[in-house]
Amino acid sequence: MDGQQNEEPRRDRDGETPTGRPRRFPSMRRIAVPRRDGGRRRWPHRLGVAGAVLAVTLVGVFAGVVAGGNVGTDIGPFQARLSVSPSTTGGTTVNIPPLGSLMLRSHDGPTHLTVQLGALDQSRVEALIDDPASLNRATQSAVDEVREGVMRLGLRTIGSCVLTTLVLALLVFRDTRRAAWAGGLALLITAGSLGTAAATIRPQSIEEPRYEGLLVNAPAIVGDVRKIADDYTRYAEQLQRLIGNVTQLYTTVSALPVYEPEPGTTRVLHISDLHLNPSAWQLIRTVTEQFGIDVVVDTGDITDWGSEPEASYVGSISLLEKPYVYIRGNHDSGRTAAAVARQPNAIVLDNTTTTVAGLTIAGIGDPRFTPDKSTSPASGGLSQPTADQLISNGEKLAATIRSSPRPVDIALVHDPASAGPLSGTCPLVLAGHTHDRQLNTLPEVPGQQTTTLMVQGSTGGAGLRGLESDEPTPLAMTVLYFDQEKRLQAYDDITVGGTGQAQVNLERTVIAPPPTSPQTTPTPTPTPTR
């Protein structure tokens, strides 16, 4: 027998011999080999699918946050927008355009909350103005409004991320099972991230903010935030009672025997430096009504920063329903002046004149726009370049007054440093800026009339700055009485408030008739009333 007889029969691909007989090895061996090889091939495949699902989920979560991770809400009188974004450090940013931002270490990552404050809601601002006590309620409700807004933001973000991931996974995999895995993973990632932020929240972070932009000056401007909040709460409570006393004050004033206004008397209310104090408007409206004011004159600094959100504050001018003559202060921008000019009863003067209630009034806005503390009354004297700028401003107005076809009765400047060149051009100059009420006679010009300078205190109590000291700056305004010849006959200096001092103070001054000598200064006769 040759060697070919011992040769193993050749098998085809199906494991059978050419004669059709089956293979000799057992079936278990035939099954085990393919299973071991197939398992090795499936593991890389499964890892690839898992990686693809994770990648699609991350893209879907990111796209969902961008598309739906924001919500609009009201916070106090502001219209705000809350948004969330991925972050490794967490925290909260409060944007106050165009002033800058506050950064708070409110929570840990992986989410960052952004609060974008927008315009003021005029109806809510007017409600605060009409009811000073509502300031307390607004402060308390603002916390609830923020909490509600954040809750809605969280639910909206989770829903947006899961939905976006599901849609994306269906488009990529065209498999409902893999899409379901991606959606579940998106829910886990989003809810876990927001839950981590909620679990690590630090409410005390509001006490240690970091400032950017113009708000870097905020700590120097408003002082200690907690102290101001406490002071303003007490101040607002007392101010509500004080405003109610103005009606009684008017009754007392009317009974004063020293001066009885004649029927043809023109009453002018001089206000200045409101600095966004909402409580000032109610006091101005009450005095305007009770004293029968004909014209309101504002010598500037109605706002603090001259920004767009602040422009809504001037909307209360129209509620006075009396002519409102205004000049721009150094804290007021051109945008502020434009907002005032849009009020139906307002007149904005800028090196121009107007005639209201028989009085011819000339005025010029402050040449500076410096919404910071460097030009506040507490900063001290003026630099020589600034002094020259203010004097030049006064010279411009003096030239306008001299060229006026009608004699000017009152001139308006914001900073009294501009008043010098106006001596002899008109009998009375009104100013503000210093937050300190003063009365002076300008140096006389030979052959010209005597000019009196009246500097008003702050009708807004210097805004938040007035709360820096132990006692807030009182609210100040003056009622001027002009006879039929448009000569100043008397004036009432009204002072309201001060923490711990529940009082309204009025001091009436009657201008004695001038003696025969035309160069003699009128002698004021004060009559205080509390």
Side-chain angles (χ1 to χ4, degrees):
M1 185 180 291
D2 58 14
Q4 291 180 350
Q5 291 178 346
N6 296 326
E7 185 177 356
E8 180 74 17
R10 183 173 54 88
R11 295 176 175 83
D12 61 10
R13 292 180 180 178
D14 296 329
E16 296 183 349
T17 62
T19 59
R21 289 178 297 179
R23 295 178 298 178
R24 294 179 181 178
F25 48 82
S27 60
M28 284 297 290
R29 183 179 177 187
R30 179 176 58 83
I31 296 172
V33 173
R35 280 187 175 177
R36 186 160 51 246
D37 293 342
R40 291 171 182 171
R41 288 193 294 267
R42 277 198 293 269
W43 275 112
H45 175 70
R46 289 173 180 174
L47 290 175
V49 171
V53 170
L54 179 60
V56 169
T57 300
L58 293 177
V59 173
V61 168
F62 181 80
V65 169
V66 173
N70 59 84
V71 67
T73 187
D74 290 332
I75 301 177
F78 287 96
Q79 298 172 356
R81 190 147 203 90
L82 309 180
S83 60
V84 66
S85 59
S87 171
T88 58
T89 58
T92 298
T93 299
V94 182
N95 292 324
I96 311 175
L99 305 182
S101 304
L102 299 176
M103 265 65 71
L104 307 174
R105 298 185 61 187
S106 57
H107 61 274
D108 295 330
T111 57
H112 182 84
L113 175 65
T114 300
V115 180
Q116 184 84 9
L117 293 183
L120 289 167
D121 186 290
Q122 185 168 350
S123 61
R124 302 187 76 174
V125 172
E126 290 175 356
L128 292 177
I129 294 170
D130 291 335
D131 182 12
S134 64
L135 287 170
N136 294 332
R137 296 193 297 272
T139 301
Q140 297 169 359
S141 64
V143 177
D144 296 332
E145 289 167 348
V146 171
R147 184 181 295 112
E148 179 187 353
V150 171
M151 289 294 296
R152 289 195 292 117
L153 174 64
L155 294 175
R156 179 185 173 95
T157 302
I158 292 174
S160 176
C161 290
V162 172
L163 180 60
T164 303
T165 302
L166 286 172
V167 172
L168 183 61
L170 286 172
L171 292 175
V172 172
F173 300 119
R174 301 184 182 277
D175 184 289
T176 55
R177 184 179 180 183
R178 293 177 181 177
W181 275 105
L185 187 57
L187 175 62
L188 181 63
I189 292 174
T190 310
S193 299
L194 296 177
T196 301
T200 58
I201 191 168
R202 291 184 290 270
Q204 68 274 16
S205 64
I206 190 67
E207 300 175 3
E208 300 176 352
R210 181 167 59 88
Y211 300 89
E212 286 187 357
L214 290 176
L215 287 179
V216 169
N217 296 317
I221 293 174
V222 302
D224 184 80
V225 176
R226 287 171 295 176
K227 179 178 182 297
I228 286 178
D230 294 339
D231 286 348
Y232 190 80
T233 299
R234 289 182 290 139
Y235 184 50
E237 291 173 354
Q238 294 178 10
L239 194 60
Q240 184 183 13
R241 298 194 299 270
L242 295 173
I243 291 174
N245 292 335
V246 176
T247 301
Q248 299 177 1
L249 173 65
Y250 178 70
T251 303
T252 304
V253 171
S254 300
L256 289 175
V258 181
Y259 174 69
E260 185 67 28
E262 299 177 357
T265 297
T266 301
R267 295 170 173 84
V268 175
L269 178 62
H270 179 204
I271 63 176
S272 189
D273 297 82
L274 272 68
H275 287 293
L276 293 175
N277 188 340
S279 303
W281 284 121
Q282 178 61 38
L283 181 61
I284 293 170
R285 289 169 60 184
T286 303
V287 172
T288 299
E289 295 170 2
Q290 297 294 337
F291 282 71
I293 298 300
D294 299 298
V295 183
V296 179
V297 170
D298 184 348
T299 48
D301 276 0
I302 195 171
T303 63
D304 257 336
W305 299 89
S307 64
E308 180 65 30
E310 291 176 296
S312 301
Y313 175 76
V314 309
S316 294
I317 291 175
S318 61
L319 302 179
L320 300 176
E321 298 181 351
K322 297 292 181 180
Y324 191 97
V325 182
Y326 161 87
I327 61 169
R328 190 183 64 256
N330 62 286
H331 284 265
D332 301 329
S333 64
R335 181 180 297 169
T336 304
V340 173
R342 287 194 294 268
Q343 306 307 310
N345 58 322
I347 302 170
V348 177
L349 298 179
D350 195 6
N351 201 25
T352 53
T353 62
T354 187
T355 300
V356 184
L359 290 168
T360 300
I361 304 173
I364 190 169
D366 197 281
R368 305 161 295 178
F369 175 54
T370 49
D372 54 51
K373 201 170 183 179
S374 64
T375 55
S376 71
S379 62
L382 296 172
S383 64
Q384 191 58 47
T386 302
D388 293 341
Q389 185 183 24
L390 292 171
I391 292 172
S392 175
N393 203 52
E395 291 172 345
K396 291 179 182 178
L397 183 60
T400 298
I401 293 175
R402 292 189 182 97
S403 62
S404 172
R406 300 185 60 171
V408 171
D409 302 301
I410 306 174
L412 310 179
V413 294
H414 176 65
D415 194 319
S418 297
L422 299 173
S423 180
T425 62
C426 60
L428 180 63
V429 178
L430 303 181
H433 183 66
T434 64
H435 303 174
D436 182 23
R437 183 184 280 144
Q438 296 179 14
L439 175 68
N440 298 296
T441 300
L442 294 178
E444 296 185 13
V445 177
Q448 301 293 327
Q449 61 185 321
T450 300
T451 300
T452 301
L453 171 63
M454 299 183 72
V455 181
Q456 188 57 272
S458 175
T459 309
L464 288 180
R465 303 160 204 240
L467 299 174
E468 289 181 316
S469 58
D470 293 335
E471 294 184 359
T473 303
L475 280 64
M477 59 185 66
T478 300
V479 179
L480 307 171
Y481 300 91
F482 293 85
D483 63 14
Q484 294 184 359
E485 303 299 324
K486 308 310 174 189
R487 292 174 300 194
L488 182 63
Q489 297 297 298
Y491 56 90
D492 293 332
D493 285 330
I494 301 173
T495 306
V496 178
T499 298
Q501 302 175 0
Q503 66 178 28
V504 178
N505 183 75
L506 182 141
E507 183 174 314
R508 169 164 289 177
T509 302
V510 178
I511 306 298
T516 54
S517 174
Q519 297 299 324
T520 302
T521 303
T523 302
T525 304
T527 304
T529 298
R530 292 182 185 271

